[in-house]
Amino acid sequence: MSIQKFIKASIEDEQQETAPPGPLAESFTDFDAEYHSMLCAGCSCLCDDISYFFKKGSVTRTLNLCEVGWKRLCAVSSEDREPPPSPHLLSDNVKQAAALLRAHPPVLVLGADSTDEAAIRTSFELADTFGGISLPWAFPGLRRFYERAKKFGWATGLLDEVRDRAESVIFWRADPLVTHHRHLSRYSLFARGRFTERGNLDRNLAAVASHKTVIEPLCQQFFELSIDQDPALIEALAHPQVGGGFDHRDLPALARALQGASYIALFVDPEKVTDETLDALFLWSAKLNTEGRKRMVILPLWDSGSNIEGFCRVSLELNASPWGGASVRTSAGAEPEKASWEDQAGSVGSVLLISTGTDPSPGCILPTCLAEKPLVVIDPSKRSATLDGQVVIPAALPGLESDGVFFRADGLPFDVSKLEPLDNNGFPTVAEVLADLIAEAR
Ligand code: SF4
């Protein structure tokens, strides 16, 4: 049976068994067009098994698209989205934006980590043109994480390897059910791998968080701890025979699970832990990997742009650092490399914000030091009240309305194709808008 027939059969079975009356009950053959095995660029999972079903030019059904991906789709396909601007209006917008940025150097380009590789490259070129800097939202965490990786060595692995081998998985102040909805089903818990054939039955899942999180009911061990308790927990897990005075109901069970695992995958949100915790995690991983009896990989799970790994790679190539350039002189006179996020942000004259197309997460709200700066927004969605800039330039949503290369959470590049029937109909790509701004400034 072909994949298409299999999907049709599955949908029809599902509809017969469970579908309520109404739009979902319509026959599968009512769809005008269907697209299968599409990649979603909604987060760095880059799921490659998405199906879209079209009727009269609109998506009426999807398969495997999670809530994050669905919101992204809605952002560009909702009826109240502004129509594409005329070339004349677009050119006026670009001229206005370029004049604003030129009048207020240096320029901070923020949010290129949610776009495709070509746009990320152009964001660095634009930052150079306007004497500024291009940074991802997760700049402070990114810098701290890679500094540790350089210092202690970084044991990383492919997500496919995690799926195939990880017997014990820990989410350290990261919750994939909030940021990467299908992470558990595709890679880290339910997914059946070569050596984990029974999926979650072959794995132990633990999480560390400051409060009850969405993932908590799925965990065999859950540590609700304040951030300053992290190093003590790591010490107790890394040296269970010594103990270290840390006590928790779930500690013995997790220590036993780690003892019995030959492959441990640890996912951490570097923005939510201290330097001391990052040091301790890297040292723990280095110790286990050096001893050679088991392997422990550390993968960052960013609450940031879906192409944060692409940003790191392009930045590494162009700036010799994965967290963005450092050309802005801070007002405090601190060395740019050592400057805090607030130092960097406070030193710029204006901001060019590349929006994600959906409402920003709490971690992606402009800091107060930027609130009063002249702001240009490249916005692929119909609008966002929080992103009212002096100039707003509409654009195609990368990875859905325009083609581009995105990097998965483990660094693998994928060519993401646009969804043809959503063809941007006149919206320029983000890379094109950035290139026009550069041309206008020269
Ligand atoms: S998990 Fe991420 S890549 Fe997969 S469907 Fe959801 S948003 Fe898209």
PDB file of all heavy atoms in Angstrom, residues 40-47 50 64-66 68-69 180-183 186, ligand 1:
ATOM      1  N   CYS A  40       8.209  21.045   8.817  1.00  0.00           N
ATOM      2  CA  CYS A  40       7.705  22.206   9.551  1.00  0.00           C
ATOM      3  C   CYS A  40       8.898  22.917  10.180  1.00  0.00           C
ATOM      4  O   CYS A  40       9.754  22.274  10.790  1.00  0.00           O
ATOM      5  CB  CYS A  40       6.727  21.758  10.642  1.00  0.00           C
ATOM      6  SG  CYS A  40       6.271  23.094  11.777  1.00  0.00           S
ATOM      7  N   ALA A  41       8.962  24.231  10.015  1.00  0.00           N
ATOM      8  CA  ALA A  41      10.062  25.005  10.604  1.00  0.00           C
ATOM      9  C   ALA A  41       9.587  25.780  11.823  1.00  0.00           C
ATOM     10  O   ALA A  41      10.140  26.811  12.176  1.00  0.00           O
ATOM     11  CB  ALA A  41      10.651  25.950   9.557  1.00  0.00           C
ATOM     12  N   GLY A  42       8.564  25.259  12.493  1.00  0.00           N
ATOM     13  CA  GLY A  42       8.016  25.952  13.666  1.00  0.00           C
ATOM     14  C   GLY A  42       8.933  25.897  14.872  1.00  0.00           C
ATOM     15  O   GLY A  42       8.870  26.763  15.741  1.00  0.00           O
ATOM     16  N   CYS A  43       9.742  24.866  14.980  1.00  0.00           N
ATOM     17  CA  CYS A  43      10.749  24.807  16.053  1.00  0.00           C
ATOM     18  C   CYS A  43      11.898  23.951  15.541  1.00  0.00           C
ATOM     19  O   CYS A  43      11.830  23.395  14.443  1.00  0.00           O
ATOM     20  CB  CYS A  43      10.156  24.244  17.350  1.00  0.00           C
ATOM     21  SG  CYS A  43       9.940  22.461  17.346  1.00  0.00           S
ATOM     22  N   SER A  44      12.936  23.791  16.342  1.00  0.00           N
ATOM     23  CA  SER A  44      14.130  23.110  15.843  1.00  0.00           C
ATOM     24  C   SER A  44      13.984  21.587  15.810  1.00  0.00           C
ATOM     25  O   SER A  44      14.962  20.893  15.549  1.00  0.00           O
ATOM     26  CB  SER A  44      15.358  23.525  16.648  1.00  0.00           C
ATOM     27  OG  SER A  44      15.150  23.280  18.012  1.00  0.00           O
ATOM     28  N   CYS A  45      12.768  21.047  16.045  1.00  0.00           N
ATOM     29  CA  CYS A  45      12.548  19.613  15.803  1.00  0.00           C
ATOM     30  C   CYS A  45      12.522  19.337  14.298  1.00  0.00           C
ATOM     31  O   CYS A  45      12.854  18.251  13.844  1.00  0.00           O
ATOM     32  CB  CYS A  45      11.206  19.158  16.388  1.00  0.00           C
ATOM     33  SG  CYS A  45      11.234  18.917  18.161  1.00  0.00           S
ATOM     34  N   LEU A  46      12.102  20.342  13.518  1.00  0.00           N
ATOM     35  CA  LEU A  46      11.984  20.223  12.057  1.00  0.00           C
ATOM     36  C   LEU A  46      11.292  18.926  11.643  1.00  0.00           C
ATOM     37  O   LEU A  46      11.861  18.120  10.874  1.00  0.00           O
ATOM     38  CB  LEU A  46      13.369  20.324  11.389  1.00  0.00           C
ATOM     39  CG  LEU A  46      14.064  21.668  11.457  1.00  0.00           C
ATOM     40  CD1 LEU A  46      15.351  21.645  10.632  1.00  0.00           C
ATOM     41  CD2 LEU A  46      13.178  22.809  10.958  1.00  0.00           C
ATOM     42  N   CYS A  47      10.087  18.699  12.157  1.00  0.00           N
ATOM     43  CA  CYS A  47       9.339  17.485  11.825  1.00  0.00           C
ATOM     44  C   CYS A  47       9.172  17.380  10.306  1.00  0.00           C
ATOM     45  O   CYS A  47       8.844  18.373   9.650  1.00  0.00           O
ATOM     46  CB  CYS A  47       7.959  17.530  12.479  1.00  0.00           C
ATOM     47  SG  CYS A  47       8.053  17.580  14.266  1.00  0.00           S
ATOM     48  N   ILE A  50       4.736  16.127   8.034  1.00  0.00           N
ATOM     49  CA  ILE A  50       3.511  16.924   8.121  1.00  0.00           C
ATOM     50  C   ILE A  50       2.688  16.784   6.830  1.00  0.00           C
ATOM     51  O   ILE A  50       3.244  16.840   5.733  1.00  0.00           O
ATOM     52  CB  ILE A  50       3.836  18.424   8.340  1.00  0.00           C
ATOM     53  CG1 ILE A  50       4.862  18.600   9.476  1.00  0.00           C
ATOM     54  CG2 ILE A  50       2.570  19.212   8.613  1.00  0.00           C
ATOM     55  CD1 ILE A  50       4.420  18.185  10.829  1.00  0.00           C
ATOM     56  N   ASN A  64      -0.188  15.610  11.972  1.00  0.00           N
ATOM     57  CA  ASN A  64       1.088  15.668  12.695  1.00  0.00           C
ATOM     58  C   ASN A  64       1.574  17.079  13.029  1.00  0.00           C
ATOM     59  O   ASN A  64       2.639  17.231  13.619  1.00  0.00           O
ATOM     60  CB  ASN A  64       2.217  14.948  11.926  1.00  0.00           C
ATOM     61  CG  ASN A  64       1.933  13.474  11.781  1.00  0.00           C
ATOM     62  OD1 ASN A  64       1.253  12.891  12.637  1.00  0.00           O
ATOM     63  ND2 ASN A  64       2.417  12.864  10.720  1.00  0.00           N
ATOM     64  N   LEU A  65       0.829  18.101  12.621  1.00  0.00           N
ATOM     65  CA  LEU A  65       1.259  19.464  12.951  1.00  0.00           C
ATOM     66  C   LEU A  65       0.843  19.766  14.386  1.00  0.00           C
ATOM     67  O   LEU A  65      -0.329  19.606  14.741  1.00  0.00           O
ATOM     68  CB  LEU A  65       0.589  20.456  11.989  1.00  0.00           C
ATOM     69  CG  LEU A  65       1.174  21.858  11.954  1.00  0.00           C
ATOM     70  CD1 LEU A  65       2.584  21.832  11.374  1.00  0.00           C
ATOM     71  CD2 LEU A  65       0.299  22.778  11.092  1.00  0.00           C
ATOM     72  N   CYS A  66       1.795  20.178  15.214  1.00  0.00           N
ATOM     73  CA  CYS A  66       1.462  20.450  16.624  1.00  0.00           C
ATOM     74  C   CYS A  66       0.888  21.869  16.750  1.00  0.00           C
ATOM     75  O   CYS A  66       0.798  22.614  15.774  1.00  0.00           O
ATOM     76  CB  CYS A  66       2.695  20.289  17.508  1.00  0.00           C
ATOM     77  SG  CYS A  66       3.817  21.684  17.399  1.00  0.00           S
ATOM     78  N   VAL A  68       2.130  24.572  17.997  1.00  0.00           N
ATOM     79  CA  VAL A  68       3.048  25.655  17.612  1.00  0.00           C
ATOM     80  C   VAL A  68       3.038  25.832  16.090  1.00  0.00           C
ATOM     81  O   VAL A  68       2.915  26.947  15.568  1.00  0.00           O
ATOM     82  CB  VAL A  68       4.487  25.350  18.106  1.00  0.00           C
ATOM     83  CG1 VAL A  68       5.459  26.412  17.637  1.00  0.00           C
ATOM     84  CG2 VAL A  68       4.519  25.214  19.618  1.00  0.00           C
ATOM     85  N   GLY A  69       3.133  24.697  15.378  1.00  0.00           N
ATOM     86  CA  GLY A  69       3.124  24.759  13.920  1.00  0.00           C
ATOM     87  C   GLY A  69       1.782  25.258  13.397  1.00  0.00           C
ATOM     88  O   GLY A  69       1.721  26.003  12.416  1.00  0.00           O
ATOM     89  N   HIS A 180       8.838  22.512  22.267  1.00  0.00           N
ATOM     90  CA  HIS A 180       9.079  21.618  21.128  1.00  0.00           C
ATOM     91  C   HIS A 180       8.101  20.444  21.254  1.00  0.00           C
ATOM     92  O   HIS A 180       8.475  19.344  21.687  1.00  0.00           O
ATOM     93  CB  HIS A 180      10.522  21.100  21.143  1.00  0.00           C
ATOM     94  CG  HIS A 180      11.566  22.152  20.997  1.00  0.00           C
ATOM     95  ND1 HIS A 180      11.803  23.124  21.943  1.00  0.00           N
ATOM     96  CD2 HIS A 180      12.447  22.396  19.990  1.00  0.00           C
ATOM     97  CE1 HIS A 180      12.777  23.927  21.534  1.00  0.00           C
ATOM     98  NE2 HIS A 180      13.185  23.508  20.353  1.00  0.00           N
ATOM     99  N   HIS A 181       6.862  20.666  20.879  1.00  0.00           N
ATOM    100  CA  HIS A 181       5.776  19.752  21.252  1.00  0.00           C
ATOM    101  C   HIS A 181       5.982  18.292  20.865  1.00  0.00           C
ATOM    102  O   HIS A 181       5.541  17.390  21.563  1.00  0.00           O
ATOM    103  CB  HIS A 181       4.470  20.252  20.642  1.00  0.00           C
ATOM    104  CG  HIS A 181       3.939  21.466  21.347  1.00  0.00           C
ATOM    105  ND1 HIS A 181       2.668  21.934  21.172  1.00  0.00           N
ATOM    106  CD2 HIS A 181       4.528  22.304  22.229  1.00  0.00           C
ATOM    107  CE1 HIS A 181       2.488  23.015  21.928  1.00  0.00           C
ATOM    108  NE2 HIS A 181       3.614  23.266  22.554  1.00  0.00           N
ATOM    109  N   ARG A 182       6.648  18.039  19.734  1.00  0.00           N
ATOM    110  CA  ARG A 182       6.749  16.649  19.283  1.00  0.00           C
ATOM    111  C   ARG A 182       8.120  16.036  19.572  1.00  0.00           C
ATOM    112  O   ARG A 182       8.443  14.950  19.074  1.00  0.00           O
ATOM    113  CB  ARG A 182       6.403  16.562  17.794  1.00  0.00           C
ATOM    114  CG  ARG A 182       4.944  16.976  17.533  1.00  0.00           C
ATOM    115  CD  ARG A 182       4.561  16.804  16.095  1.00  0.00           C
ATOM    116  NE  ARG A 182       4.482  15.429  15.694  1.00  0.00           N
ATOM    117  CZ  ARG A 182       4.907  14.951  14.520  1.00  0.00           C
ATOM    118  NH1 ARG A 182       5.466  15.769  13.644  1.00  0.00           N
ATOM    119  NH2 ARG A 182       4.795  13.689  14.219  1.00  0.00           N
ATOM    120  N   HIS A 183       8.904  16.719  20.368  1.00  0.00           N
ATOM    121  CA  HIS A 183      10.232  16.222  20.727  1.00  0.00           C
ATOM    122  C   HIS A 183      10.135  14.836  21.364  1.00  0.00           C
ATOM    123  O   HIS A 183      10.865  13.902  21.020  1.00  0.00           O
ATOM    124  CB  HIS A 183      10.862  17.217  21.712  1.00  0.00           C
ATOM    125  CG  HIS A 183      12.341  17.103  21.873  1.00  0.00           C
ATOM    126  ND1 HIS A 183      12.919  16.135  22.651  1.00  0.00           N
ATOM    127  CD2 HIS A 183      13.368  17.833  21.367  1.00  0.00           C
ATOM    128  CE1 HIS A 183      14.235  16.279  22.622  1.00  0.00           C
ATOM    129  NE2 HIS A 183      14.534  17.299  21.839  1.00  0.00           N
ATOM    130  N   ARG A 186       9.004  12.141  18.768  1.00  0.00           N
ATOM    131  CA  ARG A 186       9.902  11.870  17.638  1.00  0.00           C
ATOM    132  C   ARG A 186      11.294  11.409  18.064  1.00  0.00           C
ATOM    133  O   ARG A 186      11.934  10.644  17.358  1.00  0.00           O
ATOM    134  CB  ARG A 186      10.049  13.126  16.759  1.00  0.00           C
ATOM    135  CG  ARG A 186       8.815  13.392  15.904  1.00  0.00           C
ATOM    136  CD  ARG A 186       8.980  14.623  15.065  1.00  0.00           C
ATOM    137  NE  ARG A 186      10.110  14.525  14.150  1.00  0.00           N
ATOM    138  CZ  ARG A 186      10.061  13.964  12.949  1.00  0.00           C
ATOM    139  NH1 ARG A 186       8.930  13.461  12.513  1.00  0.00           N
ATOM    140  NH2 ARG A 186      11.128  13.913  12.183  1.00  0.00           N
TER     141      ARG A 186
HETATM  142  S1  SF4 B   1       7.284  20.048  17.014  1.00  0.00           S
HETATM  143 FE1  SF4 B   1       8.112  21.854  16.021  1.00  0.00          FE
HETATM  144  S2  SF4 B   1       8.669  21.198  13.949  1.00  0.00           S
HETATM  145 FE2  SF4 B   1       7.274  19.621  14.825  1.00  0.00          FE
HETATM  146  S3  SF4 B   1       5.233  20.224  14.142  1.00  0.00           S
HETATM  147 FE3  SF4 B   1       5.570  21.190  16.140  1.00  0.00          FE
HETATM  148  S4  SF4 B   1       6.414  23.241  15.666  1.00  0.00           S
HETATM  149 FE4  SF4 B   1       6.571  21.998  13.838  1.00  0.00          FE
END
